[in-house]
Every structure is written in C-alpha cells, then in structure tokens.
Amino acid sequence: MTHHRVVIIGSGFSGLGMAIRLKQAGIEDFVILERAGDLGGTWRDNTYPGCQCDVESNLYSYSFAPRATWSRTYAPQAEIWDYLRECARKFALEKHIRYQHEVQSATWDDAAARWRIETAGGPFTAGVLVAATGPLSEPSIPAIPGLNEFPGPRFHSAAWDHGVDLAGKRVAVIGTGASAVQFVPRIQPEAARLYLFQRTPPWVLPHRDRPVRGLARALYRTVPAWQRVVRSFVYWSRELFVRPFMRPRPNSLPERLARTHLERQVADPGLRARLAPSYAIGCKRILISNVYYPAIQQPNVELVTDDIREVRGRAIVTGDGHEREVDVIILATGFRVTEMPFASRVTGRDGKSLADRWRPSPSAYRGVAVAGFPNLFFLLGPNTGLGHTSVLVMVEAQLRYVMGSLRHLERSGMSAIEVRREAQDGFDAEVQSRLRDTVWNAGGCRSWYLDSTGRNTTIWPGMTWPYVNMLRRFDPAAYHLSQRPA
Ligand SMILES: Cc1cc2nc3c(=O)[nH]c(=O)nc-3n(C[C@H](O)[C@H](O)[C@H](O)COP(=O)(O)OP(=O)(O)OC[C@H]3O[C@@H](n4cnc5c(N)ncnc54)[C@H](O)[C@@H]3O)c2cc1C
C-alpha cells in the first residue's frame, strides 16, 4: 500500500493542471492515477476525423503554458494532445503518472483521516484526493433495440475504430451534436451512402478557424505579451457573447447570425425547415462549422428525422417503418454527463456513496467540495461546465482554490477539512436561482445540461469572471477542520 499526500484521478487537462500547480508549490509527494495507457483524457480518446477544439487555442490552453506554435486558431485534436504531452514533459509529470490504474473505489477512513483507494494496479492511500475524472469521459450508448446484435462494425465517436475503412460503405451516423458536426464533412466524401439520424437539429454558427501564419507565430514566440493580449481579447469577447443567453429573448443576435448562416448555406426550404431548431439558441451547445451544411446536401447523404425504432439485422428501422440497410454504425451520441458514473465508486465519512448522496441530483460547494466527503476536491464538478468559453478558465480557478485549501490545512496542523453542509446548500440554491431564467434552463430544449430530474447540474450561470474572482481566495469559514483521534 503506497501513501501519498495527494492523489489525483485522471490525466486530462484538469488532472495535469493540478499536478503542475502542486509541483510549482514544491509538493512532490503525489501521483496521478489514470485508467488508460496514456495521458490526455478527452484529447487522447477523441481521435475521430476532424476533431478540434471549438474555443480558440490561445484560450483553450493553460495560461501558464502558452504555445506559440498552434497551426490553426482552433487547433486539431492531435496538436492539443501533443500540447498536453509537452506540458507533462516540461513540468516533469511523467514519473508521477500511474497508467492502467483505473480507480475502482475510494473510501474515506475517518480514523486514519485518509482516503483508501483500490485501483486496477493495486491499493493506495491519500491524505487528499482530487477527482479530475472529466465531465465528458463516459460515452453514452443509446438503448436502441437490436443495436448490440448489429452484425457490422459499430463504434462511438469517442472510441473511433480507425481499422474500419468507410470507403464505399453505407454508413449510419446517429446524432447531430458537436462531434458529428465535425466528422460528418470528413467522412461524407468517402462513404457510398451516409444516413444522418437527427433527433434535434443543432444551432450552427459560422466557423472562424484559420491557419496561424508565420508573422503571428513569430510574434507569439518573440513577444509573449502579445499572445497574452490576444488571449485576453478572446476571453472578454466570449464573456460578452454569453450575455444574451443569461436573459434570452427571441431573435437575439446569435440567433439571427445562425439563421442567416442556415439560409446562406441551405437553399432547399424543405431541408432548411428540418434543420431549423425550434428552441432558443444556446439551450443546447452551439456548434460552429462552415462545412457541415454543405456536406449534408451532397447526393450521397440522407438526413433522417424520424425516430429510430430498432436495428434489425443490418437495417435501421425508423418509426415510420422505413428500413435502411447499412454496413457501419457510428454513434455520435455524446456522453453520460449528469450521472457522473464515478460517484458510485466514492464512499464518504458516514459510509454513504457519493452517488447516494447525490440522489436525485448532484451539487458541490463552488463545484469543488461536498459535505460528508472530507479532503476530496473535484475539478469541473457540478455546475462548473460552460457553453460559451474555455472550461480551462474554470479549471484554473479551481486549481488555485484547491491549492489554497491545501495550504490552509497544512497551516492549521489538522488532518481533515470538510465543507459545511449549509455552505454547500446555500451555494447550490444561489446557482439554481441564477439559472432559472437563463437559456440553459428556459430555452425550450431538453439538453444534457439537465439531469433526470430536470435540474441543471452542469452549467455555470453566465460569465466566468465572477466565478474566477470568487475562487481567488480560499474561504475557511465555509469549512470545518478536524483532527484524527490520537
Ligand atoms: C470532442 C470534444 C471536444 C471538446 N472541445 C472543447 C473545447 O473546445 N473547449 C472546451 O472548453 N471544452 C471542450 N471539451 C470539453 C473537455 O472535456 C474539457 O475541455 C477538458 O478536456 C476536460 O478535461 P478533464 O481533465 O477535466 O477531463 P478529461 O479530459 O475527460 O480527463 C479525465 C481523465 O480521467 C480518466 N479517468 C476517468 N475515470 C477514471 C477512473 N475511475 N480511474 C482512473 N482514471 C479515470 C480518464 O481516462 C481521462 O484520462 C471538449 C470535449 C470533447 C469530448
């Protein structure tokens, strides 16, 4: 059994960021437990054609590790993954990472004031546990009757099977969310036939992606302050962009832009009507693409808007009884976000699992701490997701806050720190009240931002700067400290 002062679960942006901050504070006694065989989280798993970030890379990267060499303003997946590996090298993190160490359970031992962690690679104990398991790390597989019996290749976009040659094949893509919008234009030219099954049309805005050319790169390299200026500009323009979503009105500016984009790119009024969302823009994640609408109008593509009833042999059968034979099924069906499967593996002070504690709906103080679960911190926990800007803004605020709590715990000489229930409930009530009239709650759609009870447990209600400001300093009054029995 190995003991560490801090154990981090997950080696994506959040887990690696935590590790970097620990190192910068001179803390070396930590490990990162990662279930996969490599680091990178989202950017290791999502290798589908066309995968790229949808926030400018100057903002979708750590503020403390800018990169002068992004090839495009919105970097492709391989480059982001490479960036994370570069960060791991630069900050000497590799020796701290334990691959193939899926965390199977984490149990708080109150007498010893430490976490007992069972992993696929053996047991660990930790003074402090940081859960950086990712909000979008568990693919959601739809319960379509007959899907498991489909005789051909079938895979989720987050586990793309590059061994499957799509050339000349009849391909079904189920889902029209962020991933599908990126990969459909890439696979459309190859496929003999592409059936795109759409349940709800997304709002799509024009993409402003472009290559980062020599001059900009040279400037970033030689005048790092210039890249910080560009980052700030991107940050503040995105902060302003979110305002219409906090008090939605019909025909907002983003909605007009998206409608014009649709009208410019889709001439056929019948198709346009099927692609026009009936909910307020922003209610679901807004997508960006200049090539999605043109791709789905190619003669080899059929947009199917009838519900899928079942998969029967090689055929996908829709509600109207129509059967379409396909060779490959690609699930672009997103992730299990609100259920947080990891919660069922964590047991707190009173012997209750976090999943039980979070039934029917999760919440966390400032998205980071949960009463009953001492010395446990979440990165990108409940209500700290975003629809309008880089989540790394939230992650970095949380890293600072967690470091503040570690310092507080150390200075106090105590062994455990736990958020007060009243603080957690008060914070949750405030977030929920601020969400009430926003587009994410009242936009007229059913999105993955809402959990099975209809409560929004994923999104932060609006601009990020108040959150960043709030987490600038650790607030001991919201916590109580305890000492393990002698
Ligand atoms: C295709 C795609 C594009 C995206 N684009 C953007 C974007 O442009 N801008 C933006 O802000 N956000 C974007 N996101 C959201 C993205 O998930 C976050 O930006 C960020 O990558 C999350 O980092 P993370 O470290 O918190 O989680 P992840 O990157 O998901 O990492 C979590 C890690 O934890 C590991 N793990 C999970 N459970 C266990 C366990 N039990 N034991 C051990 N290890 C475990 C996983 O294997 C994984 O490595 C995108 C998401 C996807 C899927």
Side-chain angles (χ1 to χ4, degrees), residues 5-333:
R5 179 169 170 194
V6 182
V7 166
I8 302 164
I9 310 174
S11 67
F13 261 112
S14 303
L16 295 177
M18 188 74 248
I20 293 169
R21 285 307 194 207
L22 289 173
K23 285 218 131 186
Q24 288 173 331
I27 299 173
E28 288 286 335
D29 181 14
F30 71 89
V31 284
I32 303 177
L33 304 176
E34 170 54 58
R35 66 183 170 191
D38 204 341
L39 58 79
T42 294
W43 303 101
R44 173 199 65 225
D45 294 341
N46 290 269
T47 61
Y48 59 77
C51 181
Q52 65 179 151
C53 53
D54 54 14
V55 171
E56 294 86 334
S57 294
N58 275 335
L59 188 60
Y60 192 64
S61 47
Y62 299 121
S63 63
F64 48 81
R67 190 187 214 229
T69 55
W70 294 117
S71 68
R72 309 195 62 83
T73 47
Y74 296 74
Q77 167 267 335
E79 241 176 84
I80 304 173
W81 191 15
D82 206 42
Y83 166 78
L84 286 171
R85 283 194 292 237
E86 231 173 69
C87 287
R89 264 195 307 277
K90 182 171 164 195
F91 293 96
L93 305 183
E94 277 287 0
K95 65 173 192 246
H96 295 272
I97 308 179
R98 305 288 176 269
Y99 293 115
Q100 316 290 3
H101 275 61
E102 172 157 5
V103 172
Q104 293 150 343
S105 68
T107 308
W108 175 250
D109 177 343
D110 210 30
R114 54 177 55 177
W115 283 95
R116 299 197 175 279
I117 305 156
E118 296 296 329
T119 82
F124 290 77
T125 56
V128 168
L129 186 61
V130 179
T133 52
L136 304 177
S137 60
E138 306 286 346
S140 163
I141 309 295
I144 301 173
L147 181 62
N148 290 340
E149 283 71 57
F150 178 68
R154 142 182 74 87
F155 51 85
H156 189 278
S157 58
W160 195 271
D161 187 343
H162 292 276
V164 176
D165 183 7
L166 299 178
K169 301 271 169 45
R170 295 165 300 177
V171 181
V173 173
I174 301 179
T176 53
S179 301
V181 162
Q182 292 186 336
F183 74 72
V184 162
R186 296 297 189 96
I187 64 168
Q188 169 273 318
E190 281 179 59
R193 196 100 186 92
L194 197 155
Y195 299 106
L196 179 58
F197 291 87
Q198 169 187 279
R199 196 168 55 180
T200 319
W203 282 107
V204 183
L205 283 172
H207 210 314
R208 288 173 301 143
D209 181 32
R210 56 180 193 282
V212 181
R213 300 211 190 274
L215 179 64
R217 278 202 201 196
L219 262 176
Y220 290 164
R221 217 174 19 251
T222 51
V223 193
W226 175 241
Q227 195 168 16
R228 286 199 293 276
V229 170
V230 175
R231 182 183 168 99
S232 282
F233 176 77
V234 171
Y235 174 73
W236 286 107
S237 31
R238 285 184 170 272
E239 287 291 86
L240 290 178
F241 182 73
V242 79
R243 286 192 67 90
F245 304 122
M246 293 160 70
R247 286 280 172 275
R249 287 199 191 92
N251 221 16
S252 63
L253 177 64
E255 194 164 314
R256 288 202 302 276
L257 288 174
R259 235 179 249 295
T260 308
H261 188 49
L262 176 64
E263 279 159 16
R264 279 207 183 125
Q265 291 207 319
V266 181
D268 172 7
L271 180 62
R272 211 192 273 164
R274 294 162 74 211
L275 289 169
S278 57
Y279 54 87
I281 189 167
C283 185
K284 281 169 173 281
R285 194 170 177 88
I286 302 173
L287 310 184
I288 44 173
S289 177
N290 299 334
V291 287
Y292 176 67
Y293 289 143
I296 64 176
Q297 292 171 83
Q298 296 307 307
N300 64 336
V301 181
E302 184 189 348
L303 178 74
V304 184
T305 49
D306 286 302
D307 281 349
I308 296 175
R309 189 199 295 164
E310 62 172 321
V311 175
R312 193 186 304 145
R314 285 202 169 272
I316 298 192
V317 187
T318 42
D320 57 358
H322 201 123
E323 296 187 17
R324 290 171 181 85
E325 288 242 329
V326 297
D327 304 306
V328 182
I329 297 180
I330 304 174
L331 303 171
T333 42

Side-chain angles (χ1 to χ4, degrees), residues 372-452:
F373 295 78
N375 294 14
L376 170 63
F377 298 98
F378 290 88
L379 300 176
L380 291 182
N383 288 109
T384 61
L386 301 171
H388 73 287
T389 189
S390 169
V391 293
L392 301 183
V393 171
M394 306 299 267
V395 171
E396 287 200 23
Q398 293 166 354
L399 298 180
R400 190 185 178 120
Y401 186 78
V402 173
M403 291 308 297
S405 77
L406 292 184
R407 274 192 299 274
H408 181 73
L409 184 60
E410 191 184 11
R411 271 194 227 117
S412 70
M414 306 291 261
S415 48
I417 186 160
E418 182 183 332
V419 72
R420 296 177 191 278
R421 177 161 294 281
E422 321 83 79
Q424 183 182 331
D425 292 345
F427 176 79
D428 183 53
E430 194 191 326
V431 167
Q432 292 304 323
S433 123
R434 286 173 54 198
L435 276 167
R436 196 168 305 127
D437 299 326
T438 65
V439 76
W440 305 292
N441 276 32
C445 75
R446 169 93 205 139
S447 75
W448 55 259
Y449 300 150
L450 309 178
D451 68 15
S452 57

